[in-house]
């Protein structure tokens, strides 16, 4: 089957795989050969992880490439959740709470990505259906400084991917029948993930901790797990069992024996083993790496089951620095802000720092202020570089942002805005300050509302009515917020 441009582009990406124990760098350089290195992580901080990643890239050699960041081990927590059918606004409350519970932290300390998987009928005693979600949860206290550290180490990260879900997308390409049910056995360094997929839906998944070297009974446990998944499908479908099994990441010799055991457990099943002899690396000293190289290469795969996200940016200190920044919602949302606006903020901060250098005589206070300002400059630069690469995210963002800024400008002061997506729906949210005079404020908000309604990418515009309590001082302004459906969201 011919490869499309996105597949060819993905194959040119390197892979950076991080766990609390090690950093791995994989850069395919030619068919049958790779540049690969694995380095231990000597600490638990984000700086230790970034240092190990930089050392792995240096040891592997070759030119610097854009890469996919795959996080494993305890750097992330992942679960397949069953939730009742909920409106989008309820999901915005439920999913962050589920992510925080997975990590054992407060909600504001959790970052997450969620992927809708499939719908199942509930048991006969209950009405309706249940939606299944794949939830990937990360600790803000680690991931945010890791983003900054990797950027300072000159890593160009294309996206953050879930290795387990990316390898499921890779397994999809190996199936003999894309619509029939298939069991996927994905062997990683510290665990084995067993999944049941049917068409483009993930129906069941279980993660077994340990490996073949550390757990002598792992092979027997996996065969029993495969039988359990087959029994589940027979019960759900009221028909035949699973006739397809894909095994990924197991070394060639062991996979042959394991494949024979699966055929014995599931008579008539077609078993596909990768790697096989055709995947072995040319260099004799690299052949022992064949299984690991295939698992890492599969982290670049994309498809309907891929869970991908942009790395979060460090928390902004806009209020401390006196900057009205644009807020990027990273908990389940992907936002974009205009590059020119951030450039103006960077220029204003640099000017403010120069002014403080000239007028301040308190060296201790000046040093601390300069340190905070420089940290903010670095954070905003990270955000600027990443968001410029995201301005064309799956929909025409520029017309939406230009319409929002153009309509509000002259009527009120825009303080923040964000773009959110859940499934096929999207929403634009914004807030600002209207004129202090109540009559002028009402006129301004009506003008904003009617102007946004005329935007081709927005619908159902809602601007909150003013709530003015007490007396506004001159120059205070009346705060407001609003929202609109985003017609171009996919």
């Amino acid at each position: 089957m011919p490869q499309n441009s996105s597949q060819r582009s993905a194959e040119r990406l390197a892979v950076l795989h991080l766990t609390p124990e090690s950093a791995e760098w994989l850069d395919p350089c030619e068919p049958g050969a790779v540049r690969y290195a694995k380095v231990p992580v000597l600490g638990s901080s984000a700086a230790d992880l970034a240092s190990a990643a930089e050392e792995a890239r240096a040891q592997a050699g070759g030119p610097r490439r854009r890469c996919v960041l795959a996080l494993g081990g305890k750097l992330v927590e992942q679960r397949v959740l069953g939730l009742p059918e909920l409106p989008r606004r309820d999901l915005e409350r439920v999913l962050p709470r589920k992510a925080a519970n997975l990590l054992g932290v407060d909600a504001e300390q959790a970052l997450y990505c969620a992927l809708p998987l499939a719908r199942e009928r509930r048991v006969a005693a209950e009405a309706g259906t249940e939606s299944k979600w794949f939830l990937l949860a990360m600790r803000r206290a680690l991931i945010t400084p890791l983003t900054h550290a990797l950027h300072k180490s000159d890593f160009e990260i294309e996206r953050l991917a879930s290795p387990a879900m990316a390898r499921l997308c890779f397994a999809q390409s190996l199936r003999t029948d894309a619509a029939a049910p298939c069991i996927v056995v994905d062997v990683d360094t510290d665990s084995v993930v067993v999944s049941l997929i049917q068409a483009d839906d993930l129906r069941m998944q279980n993660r077994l901790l340990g490996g073949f070297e550390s757990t002598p009974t792992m092979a027997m446990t996996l065969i029993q797990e495969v039988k359990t998944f087959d029994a589940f499908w027979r019960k759900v479908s009221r028909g035949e069992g699973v006739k397809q099994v894909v095994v990924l990441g197991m070394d060639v010799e062991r996979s042959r024996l394991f494949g024979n055991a699966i055929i014995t457990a599931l008579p008539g099943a077609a078993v596909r083993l990768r790697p096989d002899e055709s995947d072995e690396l040319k260099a004799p000293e690299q052949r022992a790496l064949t299984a690991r190289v295939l698992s890492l290469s599969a982290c670049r795969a994309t498809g309907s089951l891929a869970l991908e996200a942009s790395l979060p940016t460090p928390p902004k200190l806009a209020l401390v620095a006196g900057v009205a920044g644009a807020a990027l919602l990273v908990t389940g949302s992907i936002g974009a802000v205009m590059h020119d606006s951030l450039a103006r903020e960077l220029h204003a901060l640099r000017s403010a720092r120069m002014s403080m250098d000239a007028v301040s005589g308190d060296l201790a206070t000046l040093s601390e202020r300069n340190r905070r300002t420089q940290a903010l400059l670095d954070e905003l630069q990270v955000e600027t570089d990443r968001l410029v690469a995201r301005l064309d995210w799956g929909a025409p963002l520029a017309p939406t942002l230009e319409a929002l800024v153009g309509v509000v400008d002259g009527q009120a002061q825009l303080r923040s805005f964000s773009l959110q997506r859940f499934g096929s729906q999207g929403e634009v949210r914004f807030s600002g300050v209207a004129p202090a005079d109540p009559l002028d404020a009402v006129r301004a908000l009506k003008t904003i509302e009617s102007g946004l309604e005329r935007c081709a990418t927005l619908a159902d515009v809602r601007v909150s009515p003013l709530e003015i309590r007490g007396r506004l001082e001159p120059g205070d302004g009346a705060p407001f917020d609003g929202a609109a459906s985003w017609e171009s969201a996919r």
Side-chain angles (χ1 to χ4, degrees):
M1 179 181 296
Q3 292 179 314
N4 59 37
S5 60
S6 63
Q7 288 174 320
R8 292 192 296 269
S9 176
E11 289 182 355
R12 291 193 291 268
L13 294 172
V15 176
L16 173 61
H17 186 271
L18 293 179
T19 70
E21 293 77 30
S22 64
E24 295 175 276
W25 178 262
L26 175 70
D27 179 10
C29 50
E30 62 183 53
V34 295
R35 298 185 183 95
Y36 169 82
K38 181 178 181 179
V39 172
V41 177
L42 305 177
S44 58
S45 69
D48 295 324
L49 287 165
S51 176
E54 192 171 12
E55 177 64 22
R57 183 178 61 182
Q59 288 188 17
R64 293 186 177 181
R65 292 183 184 270
R66 295 183 68 83
C67 66
V68 173
L69 175 61
L71 299 180
K74 289 298 182 181
L75 295 183
V76 295
E77 293 289 344
Q78 55 193 38
R79 292 290 189 280
V80 175
L81 305 175
L83 298 174
E85 288 292 319
L86 296 172
R88 178 168 54 86
R89 292 188 182 276
D90 291 338
L91 284 173
E92 291 178 0
R93 293 192 296 267
V94 172
L95 290 175
R97 188 170 66 249
K98 293 286 187 181
N101 290 341
L102 277 182
L103 298 171
V105 299
D106 295 334
E108 60 270 15
Q109 291 300 316
L111 301 176
Y112 77 93
C113 299
L115 179 71
L117 297 177
R119 292 183 177 180
E120 304 279 0
R121 286 188 176 275
R122 294 187 182 181
V123 296
E126 299 180 0
T129 59
E130 179 182 70
S131 293
K132 286 194 173 181
W133 290 77
F134 182 84
L135 183 65
L136 185 75
M138 303 167 283
R139 290 173 175 81
R140 184 189 297 272
L142 177 65
I143 300 303
T144 298
L146 176 61
T147 301
H148 195 187
L150 290 174
H151 175 79
K152 291 179 76 69
S153 297
D154 203 22
F155 281 92
E156 294 184 76
I157 297 173
E158 176 76 12
R159 62 181 182 270
L160 186 154
S162 164
M165 300 305 287
R167 288 195 281 262
L168 276 184
C169 293
F170 179 73
Q172 290 278 48
S173 66
L174 305 178
R175 297 166 64 182
T176 55
D177 186 341
C182 177
I183 294 175
V184 180
V185 180
D186 173 20
V187 180
D188 208 337
T189 54
D190 58 353
S191 64
V192 181
V193 178
V194 184
S195 307
L196 174 63
I197 51 179
Q198 190 260 329
D200 289 329
D201 291 335
L202 176 60
R203 309 302 294 270
M204 187 178 183
Q205 189 178 80
N206 192 21
R207 183 167 179 253
L208 306 176
L209 297 179
F212 283 87
E213 304 300 331
S214 61
T215 310
T217 60
M218 178 60 77
M220 291 186 292
T221 302
L222 282 177
I223 293 298
Q224 185 58 48
E225 195 73 7
V226 168
K227 289 181 178 179
T228 300
F229 277 48
D230 178 64
F232 166 81
W233 180 252
R234 288 178 185 272
K235 180 179 179 181
V236 169
S237 64
R238 295 184 176 90
E240 293 185 351
V242 178
K243 297 300 182 183
Q244 300 179 91
V245 180
V246 175
V247 181
L248 299 176
M250 194 179 296
D251 66 80
V252 176
E253 292 299 325
R254 177 177 280 133
S255 65
R256 289 198 196 100
L257 298 174
F258 187 71
N260 293 334
I262 291 178
I263 293 173
T264 301
L266 304 181
V271 180
R272 185 72 186 273
L273 307 173
R274 293 291 301 273
D276 55 21
E277 289 82 355
S278 65
D279 296 309
E280 289 191 330
L281 300 174
K282 293 178 181 179
E285 66 274 11
Q286 287 190 328
R287 285 177 185 165
L289 300 172
T290 298
R292 187 57 185 160
V293 165
L294 182 134
S295 289
L296 291 176
S297 297
C299 292
R300 299 174 305 192
T302 59
S304 60
L305 293 174
L307 179 63
E308 303 169 357
S310 302
L311 279 174
T313 58
K316 297 184 282 294
L317 304 177
L319 293 179
V320 176
V323 178
L328 172 64
L329 304 181
V330 296
T331 56
S333 308
I334 302 177
V337 295
M338 298 183 69
H339 176 259
D340 290 345
S341 175
L342 288 174
R344 287 194 297 270
E345 293 177 9
L346 289 172
H347 178 74
L349 284 171
R350 292 191 177 100
S351 299
R353 189 178 66 175
M354 294 175 64
S355 297
M356 285 191 293
D357 288 342
V359 302
S360 176
D362 186 346
L363 294 180
T365 302
L366 175 62
S367 177
E368 178 61 20
R369 286 181 178 177
N370 282 346
R371 186 191 64 78
R372 291 199 303 266
T373 303
Q374 185 60 50
L376 181 57
L377 283 171
D378 292 342
E379 292 161 4
L380 286 172
Q381 188 64 57
V382 170
E383 184 178 12
T384 300
D385 294 343
R386 192 185 64 79
L387 293 179
V388 167
R390 288 291 181 270
L391 286 177
D392 190 24
W393 166 71
L397 301 182
T400 304
L401 299 181
E402 289 172 0
L404 180 61
V405 175
V407 169
V408 176
D409 190 28
Q411 301 296 330
Q413 296 180 20
L414 184 65
R415 290 297 176 85
S416 70
F417 60 85
S418 66
L419 303 178
Q420 293 184 312
R421 183 181 74 173
F422 274 85
S424 62
Q425 299 180 350
E427 186 176 63
V428 178
R429 295 182 179 178
F430 55 92
S431 66
V433 176
D437 182 85
L439 186 57
D440 290 342
V442 170
R443 289 172 178 163
L445 296 188
K446 285 296 183 182
T447 302
I448 291 172
E449 189 173 54
S450 60
L452 292 179
E453 284 287 359
R454 292 192 293 272
C455 178
T457 59
L458 297 178
D460 189 23
V461 178
R462 306 172 299 280
V463 178
S464 63
L466 291 172
E467 292 186 7
I468 302 176
R469 299 178 180 178
R471 183 176 179 182
L472 291 174
E473 295 297 329
D476 281 352
F480 71 92
D481 54 30
S485 298
W486 185 17
E487 290 186 341
S488 295
R490 295 199 291 257

